[in-house]
């Protein structure tokens, strides 16, 4: 990996994730670069989404899930007992696989997160700015009072991104953000990710290897270990992973020989 | 949808009970004439048993001795809620002494009792806390029934207030009329009484008690008492007792029996200066005393020996039970007249 | 082969039979409803032949024996007990449903739900005496014996509220649980707390389902009979004072039909007029709630 002295946006060390008694992901050590796009790929069930959710403690919402090891964010382990997961999620936002706008107006969808986070500034400006950043402004500026659910799937997903960036997080986690969208909408999301990477650190889980190759700076390949727990098989600059993988399994996966 | 059904069911229940009541009425009235056709045959049985009985020693005066164990069939009675506790005691004793059939006593008010006895012909015996009306005798005539009156005792209406009421111990009929109609506050009736709202608890309009009170106090005009504010009506005398004990400014009335049961919780008011007591009631000086009756019909009594026996039993033993129930025994002469009426009905 | 064909025939017979009996069961409930409406309407017609609709819907005194036929005396009491019941049932029922759907652990839910079911299973007459012998003395203890009558709409209303809490909470919980998990995740992902998520996202998203629950609960409260018959009062009284006794529509029907009415008297017919009025009230409430539920489905499907 890069040898610069950049401090990382977030890093996992010896991270083990469990569902109940079952070990789902084992021994993850991973450093995420600031303002870069890091893609997580791998076969189904290898725990990449679980790792993604571990970065903002979304797994807490599953009663049986728990973690050992640490996830360092600004030098602080977010799994420390004195850490409030709500505060973590305010700084590390999330975009989900299926667009999930609130059944509220487009305006309120964007404003809501900022509101509950105590945003004091001009809400109209924030909403416009966020929608512009999400490349949605032109399409919705005349119908901000319409329900967010009235938009198309691709628009809904960009609305969800707008909603996330309105909170001004450091890091945006994206869990297969384009998998439910058609190719054109997918491309728009990918373009948007490039734009967003100028300002935010982005970690994206994807099933689509071309997508990982197109958008990401770094790629992490996850695989199922012998004990059926997910492991981080290989993690490198995207071009290395796709052109010169160090491991045989990575190469097999990339070339479509399994998974 | 589920709750929809729930509400509907609730509704069905309320309405169905009404509809059933309506159907029941008409069905029974069709069935009634059949009993007349059957009169002839059982009559001889009844006469036989009466002859047998008269051969035995006379018991408690003039009526033949009853042997409840020798009887079968049912006795169906309905009527006054005031007579009900008395009838219940008599029926229990009748059963205790070996009667194998059933004695049904429905507490539905004197008017309701006569309706079943004279209009639908469902009952053998009608309990009443007032004499039968001419119109009811007429309806009975249409069914071929001639009501025979048996006096079984006397009831006094008790005008009662809470134990906490310290101002009302004696009241005139005129004051009662005001208290139960136009007066808003106690002070409207008597300036010395508190300026507090009168809370009224009275028996329901279907009860003989209500009829009797209206008759005595309002000269049969029920408009004033029904138009009064803060008036609670209930056929359930315990509801009234509960209400009256609830406030020092509450007042109500009901049969003396219920007062007797709740004497420790209630104060009874003297009427026109006269306390309810055996003497005042018997002498008819207590203004709110009324006779208690059971009614039947000669052909029913002859056709159903168990009915005749039940009435005989009542007339014979009522005075042993009535005080316990809370009413006043009928004057011996009156009871004797009732027994005479029984003998006449049985053709003796 | 022959055997299997025979079997097939037999099975189809059974199916036809079951289908027919299911149809009969369905038809039976419809016919019952039709019969009720017919009977109600017929008897109510007799009533309205003698009493004008104007008098019925504008009068505030109800004493059929003395020719007063103003439904408002009874309707007002019904609305009072219903309103009080909703004041109790809505906040508590909604809180319970929020707790159950958003907060309760598996174990807490396993304990609480059966308790609610027990609450729902208690015969309403028991609630009636609970109102009379517990709630009324309690109210009298708080507000004074001279203020609170022994029979009063407040006590009955509060206890009706308790009675319908399980209904409100279970229907509201259904509505809350129907809100997609993804919405909660979205809220949490934005840094919302549990309370913010529950109150500001899940609750508004379920609002139409909850509204429907409320309306059904209202019609249940309107139709509640035994509690008001026992505890609200037994004499018509047009009052807005919840501590005074007043008789509701259902309470009046019970009291009057419990006595012995002559079948063709105006009092008897009046019961059906009241019944018809109640029927239309609950019917229109149910129609409204179904409309709301339908609208609510459209949003998510």
């Amino acid at each position: 990996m890069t040898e610069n002295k950049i401090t990382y946006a977030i890093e996992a060390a010896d991270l083990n994730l469990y569902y109940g008694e079952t070990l789902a992901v084992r021994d993850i050590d991973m450093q995420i670069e600031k303002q870069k796009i890091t893609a997580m790929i791998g076969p189904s069930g290898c725990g990449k989404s679980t790792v993604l959710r571990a970065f903002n403690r979304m797994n807490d919402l599953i009663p049986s899930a728990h973690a050992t090891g640490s996830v360092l964010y600004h030098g602080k382990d977010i799994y420390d007992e004195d850490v409030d997961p709500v505060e973590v999620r305010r700084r590390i936002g999330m975009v989900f696989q299926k667009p999930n706008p609130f059944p509220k107006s487009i305006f309120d969808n964007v404003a809501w997160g900022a509101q509950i986070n105590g945003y004091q500034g001009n809400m109209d400006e924030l909403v416009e700015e966020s929608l512009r950043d999400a490349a949605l402004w032109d399409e919705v500026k005349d119908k901000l009072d319409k329900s967010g659910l009235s938009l198309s799937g691709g628009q809904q997903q960009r609305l969800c991104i707008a909603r996330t960036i309105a909170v001004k997080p450091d890091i945006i986690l994206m869990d297969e953000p384009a998998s439910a969208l058609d190719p054109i909408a997918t491309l728009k999301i990918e373009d948007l990710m490039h734009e967003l990477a100028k300002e935010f650190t982005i970690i994206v889980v994807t099933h689509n290897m071309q997508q990982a190759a197109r958008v990401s700076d770094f790629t992490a390949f996850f695989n199922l270990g012998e004990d059926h727990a997910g492991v981080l098989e290989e993690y490198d600059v995207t071009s290395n992973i796709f052109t010169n993988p160090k491991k045989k399994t990575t190469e097999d996966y990339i070339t479509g020989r399994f998974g | 949808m589920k709750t929809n059904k729930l509400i509907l069911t609730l509704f069905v229940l309320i309405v169905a009970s009404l509809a059933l009541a309506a159907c029941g009425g008409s069905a029974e009235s069709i069935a009634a004439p059949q009993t007349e056709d059957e009169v002839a045959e059982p009559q001889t049985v009844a006469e036989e048993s009466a002859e047998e009985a008269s051969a035995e020693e006379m018991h408690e005066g003039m009526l033949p001795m009853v042997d409840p164990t020798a009887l079968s069939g049912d006795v169906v009675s309905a009527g006054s809620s005031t007579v009900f506790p008395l009838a219940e005691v008599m029926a229990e004793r009748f059963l205790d002494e070996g009667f194998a059939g059933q004695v049904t006593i429905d507490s539905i008010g004197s008017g309701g009792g006569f309706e079943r006895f004279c209009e639908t012909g469902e009952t053998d015996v009608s309990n009443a806390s007032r004499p039968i009306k001419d119109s009811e005798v007429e309806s009975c005539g249409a069914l071929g029934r001639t009501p025979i009156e048996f006096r079984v005792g006397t009831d006094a209406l008790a005008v009662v207030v809470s134990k906490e009421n310290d101002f009302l111990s004696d009241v005139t009929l005129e004051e009662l009329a005001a208290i139960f109609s136009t007066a808003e506050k106690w002070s409207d009736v008597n300036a010395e009484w508190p300026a507090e709202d009168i809370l009224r608890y009275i028996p329901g309009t279907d009860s003989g008690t209500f009829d009797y009170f209206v008759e005595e106090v309002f000269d049969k005009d029920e408009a004033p008492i029904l138009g009064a504010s803060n008036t609670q009506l209930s056929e359930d005398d315990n509801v009234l007792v509960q209400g009256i004990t609830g406030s020092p400014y509450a007042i109500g009335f009901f049969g003396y029996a219920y007062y007797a049961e709740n004497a420790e919780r209630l104060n009874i008011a003297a009427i026109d200066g006269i306390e309810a007591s055996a003497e005042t009631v018997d002498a008819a000086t207590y203004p709110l005393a009324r006779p208690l009756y059971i009614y039947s019909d000669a052909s029913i009594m002859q056709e159903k020996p168990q009915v005749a026996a039940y009435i005989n039993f009542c007339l014979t033993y009522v005075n042993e039970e009535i005080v316990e129930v809370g009413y006043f025994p009928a004057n011996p002469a009156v009871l004797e007249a009732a027994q005479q009426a029984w003998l006449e009905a049985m053709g003796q | 082969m022959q055997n299997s064909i025979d079997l097939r025939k037999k099975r189809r017979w059974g199916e036809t039979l079951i289908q027919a009996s299911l149809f009969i069961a369905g038809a039976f409930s419809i016919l019952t409803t039709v019969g009720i409406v017919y009977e109600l309407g017929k008897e109510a017609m007799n009533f309205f032949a003698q009493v004008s609709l104007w008098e019925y819907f504008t009068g505030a005194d109800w004493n059929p024996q003395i020719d007063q036929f103003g439904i408002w005396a009874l309707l007002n009491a019904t609305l009072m007990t219903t309103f009080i019941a909703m004041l109790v049932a809505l906040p508590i029922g909604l809180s319970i449903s929020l707790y159950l759907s958003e907060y309760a652990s598996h174990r807490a839910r396993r304990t609480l739900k059966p308790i609610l079911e027990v609450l729902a299973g208690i015969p309403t007459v028991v609630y009636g005496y609970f109102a009379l012998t517990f709630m009324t003395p309690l109210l009298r203890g708080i507000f004074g014996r001279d203020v609170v009558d022994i029979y009063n709409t407040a006590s009955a209303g509060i206890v009706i509220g308790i009675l319908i809490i399980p209904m409100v909470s279970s229907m509201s919980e259904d509505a809350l649980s129907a809100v997609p998990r993804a919405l909660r995740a979205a809220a949490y992902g934005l840094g919302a707390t549990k309370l913010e998520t529950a109150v500001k996202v899940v609750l508004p998203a379920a609002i139409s389902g909850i509204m429907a629950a409320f309306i059904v609960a209202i019609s249940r409260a309107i139709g509640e009979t035994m509690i008001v018959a026992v505890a609200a009062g037994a004499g018509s009284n047009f009052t807005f004072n919840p501590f005074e006794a007043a008789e509701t529509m259902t309470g009046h029907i019970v009291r009057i039909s419990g006595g012995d009415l002559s079948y063709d008297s105006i009092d008897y017919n009046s019961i059906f007029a009241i019944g018809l009025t109640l029927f239309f009230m609950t019917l229109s409430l149910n129609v409204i709630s179904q409309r709301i539920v339908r609208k609510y489905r459209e949003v998510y499907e």
Side-chain angles (χ1 to χ4, degrees), chain B:
Chain B
M1 282 306 283
K2 209 195 292 175
T3 25
N4 240 345
K5 287 265 167 62
L6 202 82
I7 286 150
L8 207 66
T9 316
L10 196 82
F11 211 76
V12 170
L13 285 177
I14 295 181
V15 176
S17 60
L18 298 175
L20 276 177
C23 295
S26 48
E28 296 295 338
S29 58
I30 297 163
Q34 288 180 334
T35 53
E36 280 177 279
D37 300 338
E38 295 162 10
V39 166
E41 203 198 333
Q43 198 172 6
T44 51
V45 181
E47 275 167 8
E48 273 169 22
S49 66
E51 275 164 29
E52 270 174 29
S54 60
E56 291 179 33
E57 65 166 316
M58 295 298 262
H59 175 78
E60 289 258 348
M62 52 180 76
L63 295 185
M65 178 81 176
V66 180
D67 178 12
T69 54
L71 298 159
S72 62
D74 295 337
V75 178
V76 182
S77 70
S80 166
S81 56
T82 315
V83 178
F84 177 76
L86 180 61
E88 203 181 22
V89 168
M90 297 313 301
E92 256 171 43
R93 186 162 163 181
F94 196 48
L95 294 168
D96 281 351
E97 298 202 358
F99 179 60
Q102 280 193 347
V103 182
T104 321
I105 313 162
D106 287 342
S107 170
I108 57 173
S110 303
F114 283 128
E115 204 165 85
R116 287 205 197 164
F117 184 72
C118 296
E119 282 176 32
T120 63
E122 291 165 64
T123 54
D124 306 320
V125 176
S126 199
N127 301 327
S129 51
R130 58 166 171 78
I132 192 166
K133 291 175 188 167
D134 288 347
S135 61
E136 288 159 342
V137 175
E138 265 171 45
S139 329
C140 260
L143 286 186
R145 291 181 168 189
T146 312
I148 304 174
E149 180 177 290
F150 304 99
R151 173 82 180 267
V152 292
T154 309
D155 176 30
L157 276 190
V159 173
V160 294
V161 293
S162 147
K163 283 275 184 209
E164 294 167 84
N165 182 316
D166 51 11
F167 54 90
L168 194 88
S169 56
D170 188 346
V171 65
T172 66
L173 283 177
E174 289 72 41
E175 283 170 338
L176 270 187
I179 289 169
F180 282 102
S181 60
T182 49
E184 280 279 323
K185 295 180 186 308
W186 286 99
S187 51
D188 298 343
V189 181
N190 183 331
E192 288 171 21
W193 292 345
E196 295 282 350
D197 283 346
I198 303 170
L199 305 173
R200 305 166 175 94
Y201 294 89
I202 66 178
T205 50
D206 297 326
S207 68
T209 319
F210 175 84
D211 291 345
Y212 181 53
F213 187 83
V214 168
E215 199 177 311
E216 289 293 322
V217 178
F218 291 103
D219 200 18
K220 298 189 181 179
D221 178 10
E222 45 183 44
I225 189 169
L226 288 173
S229 60
N230 290 325
T231 302
Q232 303 296 306
L233 301 98
S234 180
E235 303 290 344
D236 181 350
D237 290 327
N238 287 319
V239 170
L240 304 178
V241 170
Q242 183 104 32
I244 296 161
T245 52
S247 166
Y249 309 111
I251 186 168
F253 61 86
F254 37 68
Y256 189 84
Y258 282 98
Y259 165 71
E261 276 175 26
N262 295 283
E264 75 287 351
R265 299 166 66 191
L266 295 165
N267 281 348
I268 186 166
I271 310 293
D272 287 340
I274 301 159
E275 304 265 0
S277 71
E279 294 74 37
T280 57
V281 170
D282 208 39
T285 48
Y286 182 69
L288 295 176
R290 60 174 171 177
L292 303 176
Y293 301 102
I294 59 179
Y295 284 82
S296 190
D297 165 77
S299 56
I300 299 175
M301 288 166 64
Q302 289 172 12
E303 171 204 333
K304 299 182 177 176
Q306 76 273 18
V307 174
Y310 168 72
I311 297 170
N312 176 344
F313 191 85
C314 287
L315 296 178
T316 305
Y317 297 113
V318 67
N319 275 2
E320 293 178 17
E321 304 285 355
I322 194 164
V323 179
E324 186 71 13
V325 177
Y327 299 134
F328 293 94
N331 192 303
V334 172
L335 200 59
E336 211 162 283
Q339 292 172 340
Q340 190 60 45
W342 187 91
L343 288 170
E344 275 165 26
M346 297 305 285
Q348 291 175 7

Side-chain angles (χ1 to χ4, degrees), chain C residues 123-165:
Chain C
T124 57
V125 66
V126 175
Y127 276 106
Y129 282 98
F130 172 71
L132 187 60
T133 58
F134 177 80
M135 193 55 72
T136 300
L138 183 70
L139 289 176
R140 298 185 110 194
I142 296 169
F143 297 102
R145 295 193 58 194
D146 295 341
V147 177
V148 183
D149 286 358
I150 181 89
Y151 299 109
N152 63 78
T153 47
S155 168
I158 291 169
V159 174
I160 294 175
I162 296 170
L163 168 77
I164 57 180
I165 282 173

Side-chain angles (χ1 to χ4, degrees), chain C:
Chain C
M1 282 306 284
Q2 200 70 28
N3 255 348
S4 74
I5 288 166
D6 281 354
L7 264 178
R8 259 178 176 264
K9 275 188 178 170
K10 268 185 193 166
R11 198 176 290 156
R12 287 188 64 186
W13 258 111
E15 247 170 58
T16 317
L17 201 73
I18 287 167
Q19 206 174 329
S21 50
L22 289 179
F23 174 78
I24 290 168
F28 182 73
S29 73
I30 292 172
L31 287 178
T32 311
T33 315
V34 171
I36 288 170
V37 173
Y38 172 75
E39 191 64 24
L40 272 179
K42 195 183 71 180
E43 298 288 347
M45 285 308 249
N46 286 336
F47 175 81
F48 287 116
Q50 296 170 68
V51 177
S52 73
L53 275 173
W54 174 256
E55 182 185 354
Y56 182 74
F57 282 115
T58 57
D61 290 303
W62 179 272
N63 279 307
Q65 289 90 347
I66 52 172
D67 292 328
Q68 293 177 332
F69 296 103
I71 191 62
W72 278 103
L74 304 176
L75 185 54
N76 180 62
T78 291
L79 295 178
M80 292 263 295
T81 51
T82 304
F83 180 71
I84 294 165
M86 295 325 276
L87 281 187
V88 172
L90 296 199
I92 298 179
L94 191 54
S95 306
I96 292 174
S97 67
L98 265 177
Y99 174 74
L100 282 178
S101 85
E102 305 303 311
Y103 288 89
S105 67
H106 218 66
R107 185 179 301 168
R109 201 187 319 233
R110 244 182 9 219
T111 327
L112 198 59
K113 281 205 137 184
I115 291 175
L116 283 173
E117 273 154 29
V118 166
L119 212 57
I122 297 172
T124 57
V125 66
V126 175
Y127 276 106
Y129 282 98
F130 172 71
L132 187 60
T133 58
F134 177 80
M135 193 55 72
T136 300
L138 183 70
L139 289 176
R140 298 185 110 194
I142 296 169
F143 297 102
R145 295 193 58 194
D146 295 341
V147 177
V148 183
D149 286 358
I150 181 89
Y151 299 109
N152 63 78
T153 47
S155 168
I158 291 169
V159 174
I160 294 175
I162 296 170
L163 168 77
I164 57 180
I165 282 173
M167 189 172 159
V168 172
S169 64
S170 112
M171 287 185 68
S172 303
E173 197 210 337
D174 287 349
L176 292 171
S177 303
V179 172
R181 291 263 135 216
L183 277 189
R184 294 179 179 82
Y188 289 127
L190 290 171
T193 61
K194 214 157 191 178
L195 185 67
E196 285 163 344
T197 307
V199 175
K200 294 182 180 168
V201 171
V202 180
L203 197 64
I207 197 71
S208 27
I210 291 169
M211 289 284 288
F214 288 179
I215 289 172
V216 172
I218 289 173
S219 63
R220 175 77 177 79
I222 288 175
E224 173 45 39
T225 304
M226 282 320 290
I227 295 175
V228 291
V230 172
S236 65
N237 181 15
F238 185 85
T239 177
F240 293 106
N241 182 348
F243 296 137
E244 267 184 34
E247 191 169 43
T248 68
M249 299 165 82
T250 51
H252 185 75
I253 292 179
V254 163
R255 180 166 67 84
I256 293 302
S257 57
D260 53 309
L261 281 177
S262 314
Y263 299 129
D264 285 324
S265 69
I266 187 89
D267 325 14
Y268 176 74
N269 289 332
S270 77
I271 293 179
F272 289 87
I274 300 169
L276 196 65
T277 314
L278 275 171
F279 182 79
F280 278 122
M281 286 168 72
T282 48
L283 183 72
S284 45
L285 283 170
N286 281 332
V287 168
I288 292 171
S289 87
Q290 273 183 352
R291 285 259 164 90
I292 294 176
V293 168
R294 206 172 304 148
K295 191 179 152 203
Y296 154 80
R297 285 208 185 111
E298 277 164 12
V299 175
Y300 287 108
E301 285 171 13

Side-chain angles (χ1 to χ4, degrees), chain A residues 7-93:
Chain A
T7 48
Y8 299 107
I10 192 161
E11 55 183 305
D14 288 331
L15 185 64
N16 291 288
L17 298 167
Y18 299 83
Y19 291 116
E21 299 294 305
T22 316
L23 180 63
V25 181
R26 173 158 48 82
D27 300 333
I28 304 295
D29 283 285
M30 193 176 176
Q31 299 79 30
I32 307 290
E33 299 263 352
K34 280 188 174 170
Q35 283 159 353
K36 296 279 188 248
I37 300 177
T38 304
M40 292 159 84
I41 61 171
S44 296
C46 68
K48 53 195 188 298
S49 280
T50 304
V51 172
L52 186 78
R53 288 158 177 270
F55 286 146
N56 73 342
R57 294 191 56 174
M58 281 300 272
N59 287 332
D60 287 17
L61 303 179
I62 302 163
S64 66
H66 64 107
T68 63
S70 60
V71 175
L72 292 175
Y73 172 68
H74 284 279
K76 177 78 182 164
D77 181 3
I78 63 170
Y79 283 90
D80 264 1
E81 271 184 27
D82 62 344
V83 169
D84 182 354
V86 169
E87 294 300 323
V88 171
R89 294 184 204 123
R90 284 179 182 183
R91 289 164 181 83
I92 305 174

